[in-house]
Amino acid sequence: MQYAIINKDKVDDFITRLAVQEKVYAPVARGYDNYSFEEVTSGKNVVSGRYIPTILPPKKYFMPQRETLLEYNLTEGQNMNAVVEYEKMAIFGVHTCDLAGIQAMNMVFSEKPADINYLIRKNKITIIGLECIEYCDQNASCTLVHNHLPNGGYDMFFTDIGDSFFVHVATQAGEEIIEKTKVFYDADAPHMRLLEQVRERKKKIFHDEVPIEYHELPELFQKSFDSKVWDNLDSRCIACGNCTAVCPTCYCFDVKEEPDLSLVQGKRYRIWDSCQSEPFAKVSGGESFRKMQGARQRHRYFRKFKYQFDKYSRPHCTGCGRCTRACMAKINLKETLNALIAEHA
Amino acid sequence: MKKVILKDSKYEIKKGRVVSVRQMTDMEKLFEIALPGNRSLDHEPGQFVEMSLFGVGEAPISVSSSPTKRGSFEMCVRKVGKFTNALHNLKAGDEIGVRGPFGKGFPVKLLEGNDLLFVAGGLGIVPLRSLINFVIDNRRDFGKVNILLGCKTPDDMLFGDEVENWQKRIDVSFNCTVDRSDPDWKGNVGLITSLIPGVTLAPNRTFAVVVGPPIMYKFVIGELLTKKIPSRQILVSLERHMKCGLGKCGHCQIQNYYCCQDGPVFSYDKIKNIKEAI
Ligand SMILES: Cc1cc2nc3c(=O)[nH]c(=O)nc-3n(C[C@H](O)[C@H](O)[C@H](O)COP(=O)(O)OP(=O)(O)OC[C@H]3O[C@@H](n4cnc5c(N)ncnc54)[C@H](O)[C@@H]3O)c2cc1C
Ligand code: SF4
Ligand code: SF4
Ligand code: FES
């Protein structure tokens, strides 16, 4: 069954049945228009309709905020075991922007020297996507970066076609879920037409959030290194690091130690880090190559639209809008892009 | 959450053993490290390792010995903080963790047959020594060799006995300068840049290899360009904060480059238009 249908009143049932077999994580409402991916055991609180991207993206399951790399024991010298922590799980309700975020992370961690901790964990995660049929809010810029439509990266993908969801079953893992949960039936030609209508309607809603073409983005940034826009951000940004913590494609980390009380055993772990913090790029003599906050913001934007674009042939901004929503200083990604365009395009 | 032991993690350490420790100055010690079975590190001159002490942490440190020295390697470490302090407490026989070698070192094959001008400022001599000694051990393969060394005061001079040997050799010309002299100092006083105009060289077949504190590069490179050395033939080794050595943690990123994988050695023409590089 490559294309399946599930009636909307069966979605709760689906999640409940799935949760009997493995851990399931799904978006849950957390008040004040906030959502969060959390473990669920039934479909009761799961949001399967419109939701604003969760506070943290699903990257938290692929690259945990804190992850043990080595466990050591010093009784007889520098002895250690390298470890990986993982969990078999399914994530339900992943938007197309977040699928793109996971794809970006996959590229980075698969590139040699590959990061096997990440790759092992990734292979234990089943991804069930969910299409947005309206904009989540005005902060999204997913069309600009071609992420408003699904580009793969899922095992199953749900699209709302009215009374039911149209489900693209893309992998064996997806097929097994269909068989085990027994709440799906085959899609037929009228369902296909409904799907096409949804996509046609989307074309009218989703377009041109920012007046520039996808392929022109690296060139815009090429010209923008000395832009006044960065000076403006310099005076506003307070280096809280929220923008990088919530970004689905930020993966910088620090490596730290945690000795236990005996000081004989302990762990070496990695933990999310932010290029917005002042010591991030400082070297031994005290020299810093990005002293100013504006330069650190520029680095963040260039990592989204230039450096990683050059290296991986895709922008590392998914258009999710999280950085804008989370910014303490109301720094707005679309406004920044507009200002760069006004200055340079 | 399941936890399993990994066999091929890039964060795994090799166990090294401290063979000897030598106090070089108040702040610097030279450590000789052997790997199990006295296996060679197999590094290129200019590469670095992540040294590790469990309970304290890790730090990137340049390999200071030449790959021609087999069976053990050396590193020279300045005491500046938590990790380097702990390192300074090690004695011969202690164990230490090693990851690496990492990064791109000096392109020795490219240098063969050419004249070399070494410019080392301060601690820059530490990584440069791996190449200088490599060149001296393979002296026939290279043209004229010119070494310029600069340090703050005569007491800061590292590798004094080796420097004396370079000074004595007829197949190496050597000059050195200090920022501040003392009554016993007989050499030059002044910045390292002041030594460059006095060097006679054939720019077309000279590679200049420059390593020192960030501030030094702009001025030294300016002098070298005045000497008409093509920017392709100027090699530098850049320092950045590093955590993983694997091109992932993001700390060492310089625009499109990751210093830990694409560097630390770069030819100047690659980075001259890269802002935030020097
Ligand atoms: C490629 C490379 C080669 C190096 N080679 C040598 C060497 O041969 N000898 C030597 O003495 N030092 C070398 N260093 C510098 C050395 O890594 C730092 O001095 C060391 O990490 C400081 O650690 P700490 O815990 O003792 O000090 P901290 O208390 O952690 O910090 C002291 C200072 O070192 C800087 N620093 C801290 N961690 C790092 C890091 N991971 N990378 C770079 N800077 C850092 C801090 O910003 C601060 O200014 C090298 C650095 C790099 C990147
Ligand atoms: S830069 Fe902002 S909009 Fe783009 S992916 Fe990151 S958080 Fe989302
Ligand atoms: S969230 Fe806003 S204020 Fe905080 S570091 Fe990012 S841009 Fe600066
Ligand atoms: S040290 Fe981590 S990316 Fe270079």
Side-chain angles (χ1 to χ4, degrees), chain B residues 47 95 217:
Chain B
Q47 283 189 302
E95 270 184 359
Y217 287 104

Side-chain angles (χ1 to χ4, degrees), chain B residues 29-40:
Chain B
K29 280 185 178 175
L30 185 73
F31 298 85
E32 185 185 357
I33 311 286
L35 295 174
N38 293 341
R39 216 174 55 235
S40 283

Side-chain angles (χ1 to χ4, degrees), chain A residues 38-53:
Chain A
E38 287 175 21
E39 188 179 349
V40 294
T41 48
S42 83
K44 208 170 74 204
N45 296 320
V46 170
V47 187
S48 59
R50 177 185 160 273
Y51 76 87
I52 295 175

Side-chain angles (χ1 to χ4, degrees), chain A residues 236-244 276 293 297 300 323 326-329 331:
Chain A
R236 291 164 65 198
C237 175
I238 56 164
C240 66
N242 282 0
C243 51
T244 53
Q276 297 309 299
Q293 194 53 37
Q297 273 297 308
R300 175 173 82 89
C323 52
C327 180
M328 310 277 281
I331 288 169

